Amino acid sequence: MPKGELRFVNARLPLSGGGLYELASEGGRWTVVRPQEELLEVAGAIPIRDRRVVDVSAVAPAIDLEGRIALPGFADMHMHLDKALTLPEVGNESGTLLEAIANYGGKIAGFSKAHIRERIVRAALLGLSHGTLYMRSHLDIALQHGREVMMRTVEAALEAREELKGRVELQFFPMLAFDEHPAEAAKLSEELIGLGMDGLGGCPHLREDPVSDVKLLFRQAAKLGVPVDLHTDETDNPSMRTIEAICRAAIAEGYQGKVTAGHLCSLASMPKREAEPLMALMAEAGVGAVTLPAVNLYLQGRGDDGPFRRGVTRVKELLEAGVKVAAGSDNIQDPFHPFGRGDLLHIGSVAAYAAHMGAPADAGRIVRMITETPAALIGLAEYGVKAGGPANLVVTDAMSETELLLWESPSRWVMANGSWVSAQVRESWL
Ligand SMILES: [Zn+2]
């Protein structure tokens, strides 16, 4: 079905300089992206808060955003959609990471493919309702329960991606281990990439031999030509530094710009003099970072007698070292993290608290951590409100980036490829 023409005026685009813009889309693509000198008054324009705007496929003469912030969609690049929303079935008495891993591992064989797919779709739609149009999910590869159980998750993920096509762009990274049985891991990774997985993931710091795990995984990723995204040093232990092996492997394989390290909790529990060279090495190796502030605040520091470490990595220092830093949701309502709603504005706000980033200039840095930085790290070729690009947009009720984090915009209007896919219109503070 051809998509009608939608026109917008008075859209404030912080990722395009922060000014006001006039926009038009047709056939799912932006046809007009034109800066405005000042707020425009267009006779007959419908204000965005008018419920009529999302019920029709074409609006003339225009939808008036009245100076509201609009973004080309949030990008949540570290999720676990296959585990999301399992909290009612998988508890966690102690609340620790280790009990979460054990309890989830004990239940996974009982989950049917349909059940996993249904949760992936539900969690992705939850994110979409908050404006997330791009997601990368790690996937559990529970080989200990046999191939059939493992393939349920893989197939459920691929089917969910098909079902969400045109609304959410999904990437999947299976979490693999290479150190114990390298030949089998290499074969399996090749098969999974062949089936449509997007890159290789893993948790090398939990392996018997992290350095060899990292080296073997990178060798295989280079052979297959796919990116790497690893859970990295998700521990309070200050001597855990697999990030060093990851950076060295990235350099050795010529993989600068294709590698992401998530969590990096130990960076925050080691002294600055030890963390600084590692952060400089990350910048040199072109390794991006993802902070998962909600989950790490919840999971880390549990073994401490006091003072309590809070687990969130050195966000400001990484940015200052020249490392690309994104912020993501990680787990949503599962044994690893009983909270979360797939709302990256909320994650941005938690990141701002946890990383001591409340200065006026920080709001813009936080907004980039949930938009253009993860978009670049996951390798999106067409991100941004640009003529010719996909007509993706999330409209908020905020007039500035500071307001965006302050109020987390209860209303969100979400457009994917020129069609409205979600609209939550709530009472405004404006
Ligand atoms: Zn994770």
Side-chain angles (χ1 to χ4, degrees), residues 272-357:
K272 194 176 175 185
R273 64 174 188 282
E274 289 173 28
E276 273 179 341
L278 291 174
M279 294 189 285
L281 184 61
M282 285 179 72
E284 186 196 334
V287 172
V290 188
T291 183
L292 294 314
V295 170
N296 285 143
L297 281 169
Y298 183 73
L299 286 176
Q300 301 302 312
R302 284 172 181 264
D304 290 343
D305 179 54
F308 291 96
R309 290 166 290 191
R310 299 316 313 274
V312 178
T313 193
R314 296 173 179 266
V315 174
K316 269 199 291 196
E317 292 99 319
L318 283 163
L319 288 168
E320 277 153 25
V323 176
K324 289 192 173 101
V325 185
S329 289
D330 209 3
N331 298 78
I332 297 172
Q333 300 177 32
D334 67 14
F336 295 78
H337 183 235
F339 311 122
R341 54 179 190 262
D343 181 357
L344 276 184
L345 272 185
H346 179 62
I347 293 294
S349 181
V350 174
Y353 266 102
H356 303 143
M357 290 176 71

Side-chain angles (χ1 to χ4, degrees), residues 12-16 30 69-75 131-134 367 370-372 375 380 382-386 390-395 414-416:
R12 192 177 304 281
L13 303 182
L15 304 185
S16 307
W30 293 118
I69 295 266
L71 297 159
F74 299 116
T132 301
L133 295 174
Y134 311 94
V367 168
I370 53 176
T371 54
E372 66 183 21
L380 292 179
E382 294 187 300
Y383 183 77
V385 181
K386 293 168 191 156
N392 293 341
L393 203 66
V394 50
V395 180
V414 188
M415 194 172 88

Side-chain angles (χ1 to χ4, degrees), residues 3-7 46 52-53 55-60 63 418 420:
K3 285 168 184 159
E5 190 182 27
L6 287 172
R7 301 189 74 83
I46 305 174
R52 280 176 298 162
V53 302
D55 291 333
V56 287
S57 61
V59 174
I63 296 167
W420 294 112

Side-chain angles (χ1 to χ4, degrees), residues 78-80 83 138 175 203 231 234 263 292 295 330-331:
H78 186 125
M79 305 181 85
H80 291 270
K83 292 178 181 146
H138 298 266
M175 292 193 283
C203 299
H231 284 67
E234 187 182 4
H263 294 290
L292 294 314
V295 170
D330 209 3
N331 298 78

